Amino acid sequence: MAPIYLGANRTSSGLAGPPGPDGGYADDNYAIPANVLLPQATGPALATITTTTNGIKVGVADFDGVAVEVANFTDARPKNWSGANPTAKFLWQPAASGSGAVVWGIAITALNEGNVVDVAPTWTEVTDAVVTAERDQITAATAAISVQGTVTADSRLQFWVRRNPAAGGDTMAQDARLVAVVLTFALT
């Protein structure tokens, strides 16, 4: 499954934000559904959950509350990306009732022809407090994510996603269900 392109400065509601100074849109959002993640050896369990009343199916990645779990995905760079460091938001749900907070992390590497693919990620993290169990939650945007490597017109981007229960701010013992990651790229 490919990323869901939300269009220039669009949200899942389809509403566009204000145009940028040149009359075009200032940023571009992409939603990466959890069911496209490739879990690493210590990665999350991928699952499909079904809502009780209306039978809506949602692909999720269940990240553990004890062990650090990592998954990755690859995508082409956005065509009109300015090269400025992107940000991310995590759409997630607590898998069961509980309280506390979850620390989500993301890392990005630009890969070009001849580059070594097996590089260690540099993480950017964001903490989100549990609001209501088994309900959608959206984190604040991360700080700007430093993209490792050299970004060119032909770069492919390698993304890593993790939950970091080893971080002091991650205090929820239950699994955290990632639904999607929304990436925001500044456009030229």
Side-chain angles (χ1 to χ4, degrees), residues 31-95:
I32 310 299
N35 60 348
V36 304
L37 296 175
L38 300 170
Q40 293 186 347
T42 56
L46 299 183
T48 300
I49 59 172
T50 305
T51 61
T52 308
T53 305
N54 295 306
I56 298 167
K57 294 188 179 297
V58 180
V60 298
D62 287 343
F63 284 83
D64 194 64
V66 178
V68 176
E69 294 182 325
V70 179
N72 62 279
F73 63 94
T74 300
D75 201 3
R77 71 180 283 285
K79 184 178 180 181
N80 295 326
W81 178 28
S82 70
N85 292 334
T87 61
K89 290 183 179 182
F90 296 84
L91 284 62
W92 70 285
Q93 302 171 349

Side-chain angles (χ1 to χ4, degrees), residues 97-183:
S97 0
S99 61
V102 173
V103 176
W104 292 104
I106 188 164
I108 307 172
T109 298
L111 297 170
N112 299 291
E113 186 173 1
N115 286 158
V116 173
V117 176
D118 192 13
V119 296
T122 300
W123 297 99
T124 301
E125 293 182 330
V126 63
T127 302
D128 196 43
V130 173
V131 177
T132 304
E134 299 175 321
R135 301 276 174 95
D136 278 351
Q137 301 197 168
I138 303 170
T139 69
T142 62
I145 304 162
S146 294
V147 178
Q148 296 172 259
T150 303
V151 178
T152 69
D154 295 324
S155 294
R156 79 174 167 92
L157 300 177
Q158 179 68 43
F159 298 84
W160 289 267
V161 176
R162 76 175 178 187
R163 176 184 177 188
N164 187 5
D170 192 310
T171 57
M172 187 181 85
Q174 297 80 11
D175 280 1
R177 283 200 162 125
L178 184 66
V179 176
V181 178
V182 177
L183 299 159

